[in-house]
Amino acid sequence: MIQKKYESDFLVIGSGIAGLSFAIKASRYGTVNIVTKKRDFDSNTNYAQGGIASVIDPGDSFDSHIDDTMKAGGGLGNRKAVEIMVREGPSRIMELVKWGTKFSYASLSRKKKFDLGREGGHSNKRIVHAADLTGREIESALLNKISASRRIKIFENHTAVDLLTEHQLKIKNPYGKIHCHGAYILDNESLRVHIFSANFTLIATGGVGQVYLHTTNPEIATGDGIAMAYRAGASIGDMEFIQFHPTSFYDKRRSGISFLISEAVRGEGGVLINSRGEKFMKDIHPMKDLAPRDIVARTIDRELKRLGDDCVFLDITDRSREFLKKRFPQIYGHCKKAGIDISKDPIPVVPAAHYLCGGIISDNDGRTSVKNLYVSGEAACTGVHGANRLASNSLLEGVVFSHRAFLDMGKIIESRAGRKKIPNFPQWSKEGTFDPKEWIIVNHNIDDVKRVMWDYVGIVRTDMRLEIARKRIIMLAEEIHTVYKRSTISFKIIELRNLATIAKLIIKCALKRKDSIGLHYNSDHPQPYKKLKRVVIRSDHKPRLISNWQ
Ligand code: FAD
Ligand code: SIN
């Protein structure tokens, strides 16, 4: 079988909320190829529980949502981007409804009123949800809509390896700036790497949770898009801000993905208690159990260390079984299978890596620093989350900024400035590579990266832990680079290489920060900088501290 060339007007890498919602719109302007590395619904989006935040309630206001978002982000957020996200949110949500998403309504008799939930850091009820299966509902509505389009083609089990930019040709860019023309894509089954060229490429590859040993994220979350963009020379920012969700289900074996116990459970009255039955959040923050996530996760971490316990507990036993089964069918069922009736027993919970606030830096229209390369969703660093994301703001960010990226590309297409001749990229070369055979080396390296990150680059950091992590990851990354260069290309090798890059980026950004803010807490430097700073890194320069978003 020979390597193929696929051409389309738009190439979308990833089939979560960011990629799919963009593709639906972009198809108005031309053909869209979506590549996705597993099945079409495999995404973080499909796992989202709590919901999507937006100002819907007449008693709520845009200003309140903007303030909550800025406050949760430690003041490091990009105010302009936050305003855009919040103000454009309601229209995007109504669009999701128009496309077939069935959110939960307050009661059957008042059908048109959303049942609004409450989550940490929000001063109003503003979480639109579909019971505790919000992501699955959105994902299936989007896929359904796409299945009716003849202009959109989804390539499942196709993994993006690297972007087609001048760095692949080893030539100077004829247009001045680095320019993206698509990507090399591996067909996971045939193991052929094909060229997918396009006038516009959108990275919508989601987050990086799999770089940690314990995470709520599914297996796809290995930061591929960010690693690819970094190699191609794009600016990357805020990688030190990893959000640990305070409450994932504590399973004694702690293997595989940590099942999430939605913050909405606390929104419905759930209270955190330690093994002595003490309500330990009550004196920590005025919002108690609904304080922003960085604060709750750090407090749990402190309780576990103080008492030498393996988990804390989330108590929602005040609510009736009927209510819990209806409001949280998935959580109720998961706990029941594990032998816990949540209407009678507190749920054992621990923090787990959940969300990346940083990523590929983009402007308010999804543009990256590489021409014709856009980014949206969790892979993007729009600045809306600052140093810590407010709950349920990420589905919102994805859908709002994908819309803006679509509008921006539309303008370029209409002005006919978008089409450039696509250079001839060489076919993928297999020369000098062979089947690694010793898969034990690959598996061992993946485990090592995850463990180093969990033990040394977790909720509470110190200079010494970060320095140890840096040395270990650099050593591992060199070894992984050698394995990558010599091995026949495969899905697993691609992910391993990207995980090593992501680990390096997180550590480098964390080391550059000599302060603590939001999700980055270094006990050797417990105070924030007097003047707020961001960290930006590129493959051709070390991390730099720059002034906050203007
Ligand atoms: P994703 O939905 O993760 O999609 C990424 C896509 O890219 C996938 O299809 C993946 O297969 C594909 N991909 C990745 N790499 C490659 C590659 N190399 N080649 C091809 N394809 C690739 N946020 C909220 O706002 N509200 C919530 O209630 C909420 N609950 C959550 C619960 C859980 C358990 C988790 C894990 C996250 C939750 N989040 C929530 C966060 C939110 O789900 C994500 O931030 C959001 O869905 C990201 O959307 P996305 O489109 O950017 O990426
Ligand atoms: C949750 O349901 O707690 C997750 C919400 C989010 O990550 O935004």
Side-chain angles (χ1 to χ4, degrees):
M1 200 178 142
I2 50 154
Q3 296 177 355
K4 294 183 192 158
K5 282 191 179 180
Y6 295 91
E7 276 177 33
S8 57
D9 296 298
F10 304 91
L11 172 64
V12 176
I13 309 176
S15 59
I17 191 169
L20 297 179
S21 64
F22 170 82
I24 291 170
K25 294 176 181 202
S27 64
R28 289 179 213 164
Y29 282 113
T31 51
V32 186
N33 281 336
I34 303 176
V35 292
T36 188
K37 66 180 177 177
K38 287 198 161 180
R39 288 160 305 173
D40 54 9
F41 57 83
D42 281 316
S43 59
N44 273 12
T45 300
N46 207 46
Y47 281 64
Q49 291 186 0
I52 173 162
S54 196
V55 175
I56 303 282
D57 186 75
D60 197 1
S61 69
F62 288 144
D63 284 348
S64 165
H65 191 179
I66 292 166
D67 281 357
D68 290 345
T69 303
M70 290 299 291
K71 240 190 246 161
L76 205 61
N78 176 352
R79 195 173 181 94
K80 182 76 196 124
V82 172
E83 284 177 3
I84 288 171
M85 178 181 75
V86 167
R87 290 180 196 283
E88 296 185 9
S91 310
R92 300 285 74 78
I93 284 176
M94 292 326 291
E95 204 163 53
L96 289 175
V97 172
K98 199 178 83 191
W99 290 341
T101 312
K102 292 186 180 63
F103 292 117
S104 299
Y105 289 98
S107 74
L108 287 175
S109 54
R110 297 147 84 201
K111 251 207 158 271
K112 287 288 160 239
K113 205 169 165 213
F114 290 128
D115 177 40
L116 297 175
R118 177 105 188 258
E119 289 182 1
H122 288 276
S123 39
N124 284 287
K125 282 194 157 200
R126 60 169 77 101
I127 316 297
V128 179
H129 63 94
D132 61 354
L133 291 154
T134 310
R136 198 183 297 178
E137 177 58 32
I138 295 176
E139 183 80 15
S140 73
L142 295 176
L143 284 171
N144 206 16
K145 175 93 185 149
I146 281 182
S147 67
S149 168
R150 275 194 283 146
R151 281 179 145 183
I152 307 175
K153 188 159 190 295
I154 300 193
F155 293 77
E156 292 184 305
N157 295 311
H158 278 66
T159 307
V161 187
D162 263 316
L163 297 170
L164 299 174
T165 63
E166 290 72 17
H167 82 294
Q168 296 289 354
L169 298 171
K170 301 193 174 54
I171 56 159
K172 239 179 131 14
N173 180 4
Y175 314 116
K177 220 177 161 184
I178 309 171
H179 194 290
C180 180
H181 305 276
Y184 284 115
I185 308 285
L186 171 77
D187 176 338
N188 300 348
E189 277 151 21
S190 70
L191 294 186
R192 302 282 164 181
V193 177
H194 305 301
I195 288 179
F196 278 66
S197 60
N199 296 315
F200 297 99
T201 302
L202 178 83
I203 293 184
T205 46
V208 304
Q210 286 291 329
V211 80
Y212 284 92
L213 195 59
H214 302 298
T215 177
T216 61
N217 290 192
E219 283 168 356
I220 54 94
T222 51
D224 299 358
I226 300 169
M228 282 190 301
Y230 174 72
R231 286 192 288 273
S235 297
I236 312 290
D238 293 350
M239 293 295 288
E240 67 280 27
F241 298 129
I242 302 291
Q243 185 170 75
F244 289 80
H245 197 294
T247 59
S248 73
F249 185 78
Y250 173 66
D251 169 351
K252 281 202 182 87
R253 288 163 296 151
R254 287 212 89 179
S255 60
I257 300 162
S258 307
F259 179 79
L260 185 76
I261 304 294
S262 174
E263 200 155 282
V265 174
R266 278 173 281 142
E268 297 290 356
V271 176
L272 286 161
I273 52 175
N274 61 24
S275 56
R276 297 178 181 166
E278 294 158 349
K279 297 178 179 174
F280 58 83
M281 282 309 299
K282 76 176 176 347
D283 301 321
I284 299 290
H285 190 274
M287 296 178 95
K288 298 181 186 151
D289 295 87
L290 283 176
R293 276 183 198 170
D294 54 333
I295 296 166
V296 183
R298 264 200 306 280
T299 311
I300 295 178
D301 188 66
R302 190 203 63 187
E303 284 300 287
L304 295 180
K305 292 192 170 122
R306 186 173 74 85
L307 298 172
D309 288 337
D310 290 331
C311 64
V312 294
F313 298 88
L314 181 56
D315 188 353
I316 182 85
T317 54
D318 270 1
R319 292 301 202 125
S320 71
R321 182 176 296 144
E322 291 61 46
F323 170 80
L324 292 170
K325 271 170 106 169
K326 180 158 183 262
R327 176 67 178 86
F328 302 114
Q330 187 186 193
I331 294 172
Y332 184 88
H334 182 92
C335 294
K336 191 89 212 252
K337 258 201 205 149
I340 291 166
D341 175 350
I342 66 173
S343 67
K344 285 198 189 136
D345 311 310
I347 312 166
V349 290
V350 276
H354 183 63
Y355 184 82
L356 169 71
C357 292
I360 306 164
I361 294 179
S362 76
D363 68 9
N364 294 335
D365 294 315
R367 298 180 192 197
T368 70
S369 56
V370 172
K371 200 124 179 32
N372 284 8
L373 178 67
Y374 288 71
V375 63
S376 176
E378 194 166 336
C381 178
T382 58
V384 291
H385 309 303
N388 175 33
R389 175 177 67 101
L390 188 66
S392 288
N393 263 355
S394 47
L395 293 173
L396 183 66
E397 181 196 27
V399 82
V400 166
F401 287 94
S402 281
H403 176 75
R404 294 182 67 89
F406 149 74
L407 291 179
D408 193 70
M409 290 180 224
K411 266 189 240 151
I412 298 174
I413 291 169
E414 276 165 15
S415 70
R416 305 203 171 275
R419 279 182 194 274
K420 293 262 192 277
K421 195 174 167 314
I422 296 181
N424 249 335
F425 283 90
Q427 296 238 320
W428 190 263
S429 167
K430 282 169 80 175
E431 219 179 280
T433 64
F434 49 86
D435 188 326
K437 289 196 181 81
E438 303 247 19
W439 281 101
I440 181 80
I441 301 174
V442 175
N443 291 340
H444 185 89
N445 277 332
I446 293 179
D447 288 349
D448 272 0
V449 170
K450 285 168 176 265
R451 189 161 283 284
V452 167
M453 294 303 286
W454 183 256
D455 287 343
Y456 298 126
V457 199
I459 297 173
V460 175
R461 300 162 181 179
T462 64
D463 284 347
M464 194 182 194
R465 285 185 214 161
L466 289 176
E467 194 45 44
I468 295 173
R470 188 186 68 81
K471 287 191 184 135
R472 301 236 165 125
I473 292 292
I474 283 182
M475 204 180 71
L476 275 167
E478 274 170 19
E479 213 171 286
I480 289 167
H481 184 69
T482 310
V483 173
Y484 179 82
K485 282 272 158 211
R486 290 191 190 152
S487 305
T488 321
I489 190 102
S490 73
F491 179 71
K492 213 162 184 185
I493 297 265
I494 293 169
E495 288 196 337
L496 173 64
R497 176 198 195 204
N498 290 333
L499 281 174
T501 303
I502 296 298
K504 253 198 315 196
L505 291 173
I506 296 171
I507 296 168
K508 283 187 176 180
C509 290
L511 271 167
K512 187 68 191 169
R513 240 177 207 294
K514 295 285 178 261
D515 74 343
S516 289
I517 182 164
L519 298 162
H520 175 77
Y521 185 79
N522 181 334
S523 56
D524 293 327
H525 312 280
Q527 299 303 324
Y529 285 114
K530 286 204 177 81
K531 206 160 172 241
L532 293 175
K533 300 270 186 193
R534 301 195 292 128
V535 183
V536 173
I537 185 167
R538 239 176 37 198
S539 47
D540 62 352
H541 71 64
K542 289 185 174 164
R544 287 180 186 153
L545 278 172
I546 62 163
S547 308
N548 199 13
W549 305 88
Q550 297 305 310

